[in-house]
Amino acid sequence: MIDVLDGGISTTVQDLGRFGHYHIGVPPSGAMDRFSHEVANALVGNEPDAATLEMTYAGADLRFDEECVVALAGAPMPARLDGEDVPMHEAVRVDAGQELETEFTTEGARTYLAVSGGVDVPEVMGSRSTYTLVGIGGHEGRTLEAGDALSTGENGASPDAVVGNSAPEAHLRDFGKGDALRIVVGLCDYRLTDESREELCDVGWTVTPEADRVGYRLEGPELEFVEREQPFGAGTDPSNVVDVGYPIGSIQLPQKPIVLMRDAVTGGGYATVGTVISADRDLLAQRRTHETVHFESVTVEEALDARRARREALDAIRDALER
Amino acid sequence: MSEARIERTELPEPRYEFGGDDHVFVELDRAMSFDANFRAMAITQQIAERDVEGVIEICPANASYMVRFDPDVVHPEAMVDELREIAAGTDISEYSWETRVVDVPVLFRDPWTHETLMEFRDRHQDPDATDLEYSARINGFETAEAFVDAFVGSPHMVTMVGFVPGLPWCFQMVPRSEQLEVPKYVQPRTATPSRAVGFGGAFSVVYPVQGAGGYQLYGRTPIEVLDVDQRLPDFRDSMVFPNPGDILNYRRIDRETYDAIREEVEEGTYEYAIEEVEFTPEAFFEAPHEYNEELTEVLAR
């Protein structure tokens, strides 16, 4: 058992996500930064889909009732185990009764804590991920609070083999605050004027405090829509289209852009104008409030190259570890 | 009214668009029509039946559809080729599907949505009217009551489920000249009661949970569209009740009936009035009012 002493700001149980239910309005949920989630799991010898704790900005304080191995990955977060510093991206042995204390992330937004065997909560629709809006998955469908207790599973890995595992720095992803997030422009981008379509990738967008698992609301210049007589059923606002399904990572434009994240609404009537590529959604999930986001338009082939590079980095980390 | 037909809509060339490297969005038309929606439903049913390799999500929408796939299994261009091929082999004239006609009792002008809409008057086109009064006026009705008559006068088909789990978008099954249409709020509300019945664009919706929303608010139903704990008998197989293609028949009820149904729902005993039917687009297009009457009569039996 893991006893939660302090839940932090927003800590939830997440795995790779819940699939096959989009058509009835159920978004995938799952780790916002899947790369870091997978790294944390790899360090303790778990499969990629084992459930981890996703801690946002300020982490949780936990007491472990039994011996296990844990690892932190993602946003650097100072942590101590019974007073001893816990390094990032390294598998650490925990004895029964030890307490883990964490502080605020020093950069980035989300830190993943993997525990050997994974966090064992019941699967809902094929996933352990928490989706708080309707309260399903994870621990009672909500963020963790003091007093909660979590079970862990078994992964068969020998603690002696995995303790000390450390992810090679060279393959870890740099949060690259200055780097542009790559997007494929399209979907309903015909709604934008040529100037605004260019502006989308030319200007810096500021992450507002309304940036969470549902979406990242961005602040920047007002984008202009092409004037038209609205098609039947769309509604009157120039940003309205006849309701469509929203891709995860898509940028919708109620006026100011919102990038839809893993707990997003699955569809609606706002024009979507492009989509953050699969490889870069992890990076957006690590942007903090008031940081700046730039978009760069890429082709689908370039997006596939980036996806491959991300996968190769994960494979290289896994290959470098003992199991 | 009996000679009214549903005019067929000539659809433009579909637009295939990539959502990043792992989604394809297919816009069948920019305007809503039964042709566009039935085509989206027929194509997505075909994708599901063929069990297309690499497909992770199949999401039919109002006049479009979306597929999420694994680009490590299927190249995005190959995915589009496959979708084009499926579309070429799908003709809604030869299509029919098994669906359900469902009774949806609604307390119009209920106290809960009224309180909410009054709270957000500053985000509305017409702050001095209620949402019903405003909708009635811009659709050319003398009274709000006459607007409600039209709203409940013909059933609404579920043309898309989404936004949040279980929210049905419904398109009323009448010829275009009789379709109601309203704008969404100028600025979305931050609150909407659960089970509120709303209308925006040409779509009625039932909000599954309390949350944000931008549709005009008319009333509240005592029945659930989402039951996370699956306590109610009709939620045995899924926590979400509506499916694309379902036909909802809104019915006016009074407060007493609302409370009585609500009590049964809360006790977990309420059973939905549902009839299974075979829906045939051709027959519906030809004589929608007669067709609807037959559909809704089965509920009265």
Side-chain angles (χ1 to χ4, degrees), chain B residues 91-113:
Chain B
D91 180 0
I92 61 164
S93 300
E94 303 159 8
Y95 226 72
S96 65
W97 56 86
E98 291 283 325
T99 189
R100 308 180 295 181
V101 186
V102 185
D103 172 58
V104 182
V106 181
L107 177 62
F108 288 92
R109 297 193 185 82
D110 65 291
W112 308 280
T113 57

Side-chain angles (χ1 to χ4, degrees), chain A residues 18-26 28 124-125 131 133-134 136 184 186-187 189-190 231-236 240-248 255 265-270 275 277-278 281 300-301 303-304 307, chain B residues 15 17-23 25 27 30-32 56-62 64 66 68 70-72 75-76 160-166 169 171 176 179 181 183-184 187-188 201-203 215 226 228 239-240:
Chain A
R18 180 174 286 116
F19 300 101
H21 310 283
Y22 218 83
H23 64 289
I24 52 169
V26 181
V124 177
M125 300 166 106
Y131 175 43
L133 181 76
V134 302
I136 60 171
V184 173
L187 305 172
D189 65 311
Y190 61 81
F232 181 72
T236 44
N240 288 164
V241 295
V242 168
D243 308 79
V244 297
Y246 291 149
I248 296 299
Q255 266 163 359
V265 293
T266 61
Y270 288 120
T275 309
I277 66 172
S278 63
R281 291 171 205 154
V300 170
E301 281 307 325
L304 290 175
R307 186 181 172 93
Chain B
R15 281 193 325 113
E17 293 272 316
F18 292 113
D21 44 324
D22 54 353
H23 300 78
F25 164 73
E27 183 186 78
R30 289 183 190 181
M32 180 61 183
I56 297 169
E57 304 283 358
I58 306 165
C59 179
N62 284 322
S64 61
M66 187 178 84
R68 179 177 191 167
D70 180 352
D72 302 334
H75 190 280
M160 176 175 175
V161 180
F163 185 62
V164 297
W169 269 275
F171 192 53
R176 174 73 179 270
Q179 289 274 354
E181 200 183 9
K184 297 154 198 168
Q187 282 295 316
F203 300 96
Y215 283 29
L226 173 73
V228 169
M239 64 174 72
V240 164

Side-chain angles (χ1 to χ4, degrees), chain A residues 42 73 108 133 140 163 181 222 234 241 274 297:
Chain A
L133 181 76
E140 296 177 6
V163 166
L181 296 173
E222 194 106 345
V241 295
S297 169

